[in-house]
């Protein structure tokens, strides 16, 4: 191994000579102990001219330089550069090189030890604490606080806490003014940050505007705009104009919009277009359509968009310019939407990676924005067509046909069929049902979606006309064209419902709900179907679900109350009716139903309150009038009952029972003379009424009048006629029974022609016979009228109704039961 090692000869040059030589001039570790250096620092000795190149002929040439090595060595050159290759000490060992920076020295005699980390010097002194009492530090802290407050204000606004945002903005303004004063006091006013001042004022103005403090916002914006040191502050005049627009001060808004427009260069095209849009809308609000047209036409020529095109059509419609309406409609349908084709969202191959990407972007925010933009364009085009169709041609149909032709030649081809359906719906609104039907029938050969929509509307029309066979045929056609159309399924269920096949109707409604779980018509009709089938719990479940969707639906609340009443839970029924009258507080039928429920619970005072309210809103309800009259009789206020029975007499003048009740009230209150006159008046109108004659006989007897014999004779004749009539009725009933036993289908009810007595029996009103001679008239006061009387011909409360119409058995189905479906426009 030693043969590979080469030993240097003594006479060979050392390759590392001079690498460890160190010039003591650069040694600063022992300067604190250097007397010469310290003297130079304390006196002007150190400020003498620098040394010249001549050495050692300088002021310090004769003085050796002290170093930490403890030796003295003259400088090797005029610039103090150490002489390389020179040997400092002939007896010293040759030093190692390239380790000087680590603190190693081979000269052990110099008193140094190996200490690369400098631990022998002790711990480093602590860092000097920052002095925050200096003016500059205070200013920096205040600036940071202002910026933090602005950020907190913006975050509060983003979170919807507008009041907190305003408070933070105000505090930032106060801090910023304190900062300006502090800079002025320290003489550093030139260093005031204008950007910070601008940010504070701008944020404050925005927060004022957000909190509807318009005057304060305008004043703050004015401070910014008037300060010439703020660059581009003129743009804020748009914000000021927006505030004036919100205040409906349109002339001033237009003035500030134009001032902002003058201060914005032509390079900012999009901003200028938006400002001009605002100017056009302001002119429309003022009714100055010609000025608005000027701005909107310029926008449509420079940068057309959907909203501007729609507003332009409105302006031309307002001034009645047919040709310009047509041209503007053509411009509107030619506006580019900047939307990619929908085909890119359809998987084109079986590549799983591509399919995953398409699935991810199908409902991303960009696609949602595209759908919203397309929906807005379609809505504007449809509305424009419906608006201008009657105005651009001599007839509505011709105008609509022109719009359809224009749409077919544009990028909105699929809207043409929707316009045709809207044409049919417009015919419906004009009560032209034949034209509507003819228009819808033209869609029978169209594609499935349009065919289903047209057939659904046709089914609805025939159902309203009670042509249930045609309604059923078109409902089938709509279902065959689109089995997943919930409207078609509902119409099919309705046609089955009227045939009383409730089980099958329920299946169609359930299928409609499976296709569209939010279809309220299907859910409502399903609840009614369960109600008809007697499945009250299932009906209740359907209506509770529907109430979660339609919180303020009066019909749903009424159905819930009705179901709870049928389930014999009056407290829940009352609770739902109370919610119902909070939505429809003036519905007399609901109020009457509440009175009925409270009466059945024995709470007469609450029942009286709701019956009285019902009478106040609809004073022609016989059942309410009767209950109120009976209530006053029971409470011994017969005088007050008279006005209600008189009202009933006006409503049903041919029913003697109400007039008898008026006379009875006079008799009970002790006004016998008025009672006698009333009975005489009743006798003139109804001479065959036995009850009236009995009371006349008794009153005349007690009052000693001569007419007593006359009325007694008439009473005997009437009673005799009544006996004969009853015998005839009895024999007729026996013959009818015998005929039925013999198989005869004929029968005779033998109804009496005596309207007074028959009506009295049917109304369950019990009038007592004339009392005995030694019995006072008041003996019959407690039982003369049955307070539980119900008029079978009166309205039966089945659903909330208005005062204009009462439900009958014939129109129960149309008015109450089915929620017919018509496609939305």
């Amino acid at each position: 191994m030693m043969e590979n090692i080469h030993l240097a000869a003594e006479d060979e040059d050392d390759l590392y000579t001079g690498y460890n030589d160190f010039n003591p001039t650069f040694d600063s570790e022992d300067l604190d102990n250097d007397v010469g250096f310290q003297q130079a620092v304390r006196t002007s000795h150190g400020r003498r001219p620098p040394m010249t190149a001549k050495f050692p002929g300088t002021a310090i040439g004769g003085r050796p330089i002290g170093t930490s090595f403890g030796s003295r060595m003259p400088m090797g050159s005029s610039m103090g550069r150490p002489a390389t290759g020179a040997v400092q000490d002939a007896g010293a060992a040759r030093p190692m090189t390239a380790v000087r920076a680590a603190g190693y020295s081979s000269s052990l005699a110099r008193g140094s030890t190996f200490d690369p980390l400098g631990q022998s010097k002790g711990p480093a002194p602590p860092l000097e604490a920052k002095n925050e009492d200096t003016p500059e530090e205070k200013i920096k802290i205040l600036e940071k606080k202002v910026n933090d407050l602005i950020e907190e204000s913006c975050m509060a606004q983003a979170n919807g806490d507008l009041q907190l945002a305003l408070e933070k903005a105000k505090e930032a303004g106060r801090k910023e003014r304190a900062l300006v004063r502090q800079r002025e006091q320290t003489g550093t006013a030139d260093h005031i940050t204008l950007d910070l001042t601008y940010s504070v004022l701008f944020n404050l103005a925005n927060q004022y505007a957000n909190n509807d403090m318009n005057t304060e916002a305008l004043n703050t914006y004015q401070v910014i705009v008037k300060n010439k040191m703020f660059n581009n502050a003129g743009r804020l005049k748009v914000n000021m104009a927006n505030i004036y627009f919100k205040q409906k001060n349109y002339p001033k808004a237009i003035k500030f919009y134009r001032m902002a427009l003058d201060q914005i260069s032509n390079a900012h095209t999009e901003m200028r277009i938006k400002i001009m849009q605002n100017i056009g809308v302001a002119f429309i609000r003022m009714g100055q359509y010609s000025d608005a047209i000027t701005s909107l036409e310029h926008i449509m020529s420079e940068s057309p968009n959907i909203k501007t095109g729609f507003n332009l059509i409105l302006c031309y419609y307002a001034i009645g310019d047919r040709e310009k309406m047509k041209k503007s409609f053509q411009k509107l349908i030619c506006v580019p939407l900047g939307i990619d084709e929908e085909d890119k969202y359809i998987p084109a191959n079986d590549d799983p990676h591509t399919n995953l990407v398409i699935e991810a972007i199908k409902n991303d925010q960009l696609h949602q924005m595209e759908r919203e933009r397309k929906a807005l364009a379609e809505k504007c085009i449809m509305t424009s067509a419906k608006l201008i169709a009657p105005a651009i041609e001599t007839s509505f149909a011709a105008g609509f046909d022109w719009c359809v032709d224009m749409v077919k030649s544009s990028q909105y081809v699929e809207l043409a069929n929707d316009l045709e359906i809207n044409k049919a719906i417009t015919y419906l609104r004009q009560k032209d049902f034949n034209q509507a039907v003819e228009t819808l029938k033209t869609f029978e050969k169209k594609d499935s979606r349009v065919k289903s929509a047209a057939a659904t509307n046709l089914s609805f029309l025939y159902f309203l006309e009670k042509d249930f066979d045609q309604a059923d045929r078109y409902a089938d056609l709509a279902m065959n064209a689109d089995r997943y159309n919930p409207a078609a399924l509902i119409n099919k269920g309705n046609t089955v419902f009227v045939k009383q096949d409730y089980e099958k109707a329920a299946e169609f409604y359930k299928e409609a709900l499976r296709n569209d779980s939010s279809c309220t018509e299907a859910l409502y009709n399903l609840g009614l179907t369960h109600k008809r089938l007697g499945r009250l719990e299932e009906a209740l479940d359907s209506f509770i679900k529907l109430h979660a969707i339609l919180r303020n639906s009066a019909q749903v609340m009424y159905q819930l109350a009705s179901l709870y009443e049928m389930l014999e839970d009056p407290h829940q029924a009352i609770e739902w009716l109370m919610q119902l009258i909070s939505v429809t507080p003036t519905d007399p039928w609901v109020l009457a139903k509440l009175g009925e429920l409270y009466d059945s619970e024995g709470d007469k005072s609450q029942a009286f309150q709701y019956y009285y309210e019902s009478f106040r809103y609809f004073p022609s309800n016989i059942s309410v009038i009767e209950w109120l009259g009976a209530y006053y009789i029971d409470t011994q206020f017969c005088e007050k009952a008279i006005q209600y029975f008189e009202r009933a007499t006006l409503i049903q003048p041919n029913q003697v029972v109400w007039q008898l009740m008026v006379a009875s009230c006079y008799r009970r209150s002790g006004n016998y003379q008025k009672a006698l006159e009333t009975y005489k008046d009743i006798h003139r109108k109804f001479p065959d009424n036995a009850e009236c004659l009995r009371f006349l006989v008794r009153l005349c007897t007690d009052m000693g009048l001569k007419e007593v014999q006359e009325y007694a004779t008439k009473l005997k004749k009437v009673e005799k006629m009544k006996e004969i009539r009853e015998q005839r009725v009895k024999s007729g009933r026996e013959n009818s029974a015998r005929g039925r036993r013999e198989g005869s289908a004929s029968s005779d009810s033998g109804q009496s022609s005596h309207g007074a007595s028959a009506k009295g029996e049917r109304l369950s009103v019990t009038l007592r016979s004339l009392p005995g001679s030694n019995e006072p008239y008041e003996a019959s006061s407690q039982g003369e009228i049955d307070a539980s009387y119900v008029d079978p011909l009166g309205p039966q409360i089945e659903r909330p109704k208005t005062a204009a119409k009462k439900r009958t058995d014939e129109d129960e189905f149309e008015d109450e039961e089915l929620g017919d479906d018509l496609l939305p426009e």
Side-chain angles (χ1 to χ4, degrees), residues 93-149:
R94 183 179 297 276
M96 294 179 66
T97 60
V99 294
R100 182 65 185 173
Y104 175 78
S105 175
S106 60
S107 301
L108 298 177
R110 296 179 182 177
S112 62
T113 59
F114 182 72
D115 187 15
L117 299 178
Q119 295 178 357
S120 62
K121 298 179 182 179
L127 296 175
E128 184 179 355
K130 184 181 290 186
N131 187 5
E132 297 183 357
D133 293 335
T134 61
E136 193 61 34
E137 284 299 324
K138 289 182 178 179
I139 288 173
K140 287 182 179 179
I141 293 173
L142 202 54
E143 280 185 353
K144 185 178 184 304
K145 182 64 175 175
V146 172
N147 283 312
D148 290 344
L149 286 170

Side-chain angles (χ1 to χ4, degrees), residues 558 577 580-581 584-596 610-611 613-615 617-624 793-807:
Y558 178 79
L577 288 175
L580 177 55
I581 62 172
T584 57
T586 60
D587 193 315
W589 309 105
V590 178
L591 293 167
K593 189 65 180 178
L594 265 172
E596 179 185 337
Y610 288 110
Y611 272 123
E613 287 294 312
S614 176
F615 175 78
Y617 289 117
F618 184 52
S620 300
N621 190 336
I622 290 295
S623 61
V624 173
L793 301 181
Q796 303 296 317
I797 302 296
E798 281 293 318
R799 57 163 290 179
K801 306 178 183 67
T802 61
K805 181 178 180 181
K806 295 187 288 186
R807 185 185 62 76

Side-chain angles (χ1 to χ4, degrees), residues 600-670:
S600 64
E601 290 293 300
D603 192 344
K604 294 288 185 180
S605 61
Q606 284 287 349
F608 171 75
Q609 176 185 345
Y610 288 110
Y611 272 123
Y612 181 78
E613 287 294 312
S614 176
F615 175 78
R616 191 163 65 89
Y617 289 117
F618 184 52
S620 300
N621 190 336
I622 290 295
S623 61
V624 173
I625 291 172
E626 182 202 6
W627 191 94
L628 288 171
Y631 174 81
Y632 280 119
I633 290 175
D634 289 341
T635 55
Q636 305 297 320
F637 289 100
C638 299
E639 297 87 348
K640 290 186 177 181
I642 292 173
Q643 60 177 325
Y644 294 103
F645 292 125
E646 286 179 344
R647 165 97 38 192
T649 302
L650 293 175
I651 296 170
Q652 295 180 346
N654 295 326
Q655 303 300 328
V656 68
V657 62
W658 307 120
Q659 300 182 42
L660 289 173
M661 292 308 302
V662 172
S664 175
C665 289
Y666 281 125
R667 180 175 59 80
R668 287 168 178 271
S669 61

Side-chain angles (χ1 to χ4, degrees), residues 107-381:
S107 301
L108 298 177
R110 296 179 182 177
S112 62
T113 59
F114 182 72
D115 187 15
L117 299 178
Q119 295 178 357
S120 62
K121 298 179 182 179
L127 296 175
E128 184 179 355
K130 184 181 290 186
N131 187 5
E132 297 183 357
D133 293 335
T134 61
E136 193 61 34
E137 284 299 324
K138 289 182 178 179
I139 288 173
K140 287 182 179 179
I141 293 173
L142 202 54
E143 280 185 353
K144 185 178 184 304
K145 182 64 175 175
V146 172
N147 283 312
D148 290 344
L149 286 170
I150 293 174
E151 185 176 351
E152 290 173 9
S153 175
C154 296
M155 292 300 295
Q157 178 191 349
N159 294 330
D161 194 346
L162 301 181
Q163 187 63 36
L164 178 61
L166 179 59
E167 291 299 327
K168 294 290 183 182
K170 288 180 178 179
E171 188 177 353
R174 290 192 292 269
K175 296 286 186 185
E176 194 274 335
R177 288 192 294 273
L179 174 63
V180 171
R181 287 196 299 270
Q182 209 162 12
R183 282 197 178 276
E184 290 174 350
Q185 291 172 2
T186 57
T188 57
D190 295 339
H191 296 83
I192 294 175
T193 308
L194 289 177
D195 290 342
L196 184 62
T197 305
Y198 179 87
S199 300
V200 169
L201 292 173
F202 180 63
N203 181 57
L204 181 60
N206 273 337
Q207 303 309 331
Y208 276 135
N210 291 335
N211 284 272
D212 294 328
M213 302 173 68
N214 297 324
T215 305
E216 291 83 353
L218 289 171
N219 292 337
T220 309
Y221 278 127
Q222 196 70 29
V223 171
I224 303 175
V225 171
K226 286 186 176 180
N227 194 333
K228 301 299 182 182
M229 300 180 70
F230 294 138
N231 295 328
N232 300 322
R235 294 185 180 182
L236 296 183
K237 290 181 180 177
V238 176
N239 298 38
M240 300 175 70
N242 290 340
I243 294 175
Y244 284 123
F245 189 93
K246 188 166 65 173
Q247 292 178 333
K248 298 184 180 181
N249 189 352
Y250 302 120
K252 208 156 189 176
I254 292 171
K255 175 184 175 182
F256 275 84
Y257 281 134
R258 285 176 170 170
M259 291 168 65
L261 200 62
D262 293 339
Q263 297 185 14
I264 296 175
S265 64
N266 293 328
H268 300 86
T269 308
E270 187 176 354
M271 184 178 290
R272 291 179 63 87
I273 290 296
K274 289 182 177 179
I275 294 175
M276 292 187 70
Q277 276 183 313
N278 291 354
I279 293 174
V281 173
F283 276 125
I284 292 175
R285 293 292 182 89
M286 295 171 63
Q288 299 179 12
Y289 301 112
S290 300
D291 295 327
I293 288 171
T294 303
S295 297
L296 298 176
E297 283 283 9
H298 176 74
I299 296 171
M300 291 300 289
S301 61
E302 294 290 331
S303 178
N305 61 78
I306 292 295
K307 288 185 178 180
T308 302
F310 180 69
N311 289 335
L312 186 60
I313 291 175
L314 292 180
C315 290
Y316 282 128
Y317 179 80
I319 63 176
D321 194 332
R322 291 187 177 183
E323 293 302 321
K324 290 294 180 67
M325 275 190 272
K326 289 183 176 181
K327 291 181 180 179
S328 299
F329 187 78
Q330 291 172 336
K331 289 181 181 179
L332 177 64
I333 61 178
C334 292
V335 172
L337 292 180
I339 297 176
D340 294 335
E341 296 295 331
E342 292 288 332
D343 297 341
K344 73 176 183 179
Y345 299 106
I346 302 174
N349 50 40
D350 295 332
D351 183 8
H353 177 71
T354 304
N355 293 341
L356 286 174
V357 172
I358 292 174
E359 193 66 30
I361 66 174
K362 264 186 178 180
N363 200 34
D364 61 353
Q365 291 184 352
L366 178 61
H367 195 198
Q368 290 176 7
M369 185 188 72
E370 290 177 347
R371 285 201 297 263
E372 290 173 1
R373 186 181 296 179
K374 187 175 181 181
L376 174 65
E378 292 177 353
K379 180 181 178 182
C380 290
I381 292 171

Side-chain angles (χ1 to χ4, degrees), residues 349-501:
N349 50 40
D350 295 332
D351 183 8
H353 177 71
T354 304
N355 293 341
L356 286 174
V357 172
I358 292 174
E359 193 66 30
I361 66 174
K362 264 186 178 180
N363 200 34
D364 61 353
Q365 291 184 352
L366 178 61
H367 195 198
Q368 290 176 7
M369 185 188 72
E370 290 177 347
R371 285 201 297 263
E372 290 173 1
R373 186 181 296 179
K374 187 175 181 181
L376 174 65
E378 292 177 353
K379 180 181 178 182
C380 290
I381 292 171
M382 296 286 287
T383 307
S384 301
K386 290 188 287 185
L387 179 69
I388 67 174
I392 57 177
E393 298 292 345
T394 55
S395 67
F396 158 76
F400 230 110
D401 291 338
W402 181 88
C403 292
V404 170
D405 293 338
M406 291 296 103
V407 170
K408 283 181 179 178
S409 61
S410 70
Q411 57 183 325
Y412 303 99
V413 181
E414 65 275 7
L415 285 183
N417 292 326
D418 294 335
L419 281 172
E420 288 280 2
I421 291 181
N422 272 277
K423 178 181 177 182
I425 293 174
T426 308
Y427 278 130
L428 287 178
R429 289 175 174 166
Q430 296 176 352
K431 308 298 183 184
D432 193 347
F433 297 105
N434 294 329
Q435 284 291 341
V437 171
E438 291 299 323
T439 305
L440 291 171
K441 283 182 177 179
T442 60
F443 289 96
E444 292 187 15
K445 296 182 180 180
K446 299 282 185 179
D447 61 82
S448 59
R449 184 185 68 86
V450 180
K451 183 193 299 184
S452 178
T456 301
N457 284 280
L458 282 169
S459 175
F460 168 76
L461 286 174
Y462 284 121
F463 188 86
L464 291 182
E465 294 177 352
K466 293 183 172 56
D467 189 349
F468 300 123
D469 293 333
Q470 286 287 350
D472 186 66
R473 186 174 77 84
Y474 279 103
D476 289 334
L477 183 62
M479 288 170 55
N480 293 333
D482 184 5
R483 183 68 187 183
Y484 300 101
N485 183 356
L489 291 166
I490 290 171
N491 286 340
K492 178 64 177 177
N494 292 352
T495 58
V496 176
F497 190 100
V498 296
K499 297 175 183 177
Q500 299 183 0
D501 190 352

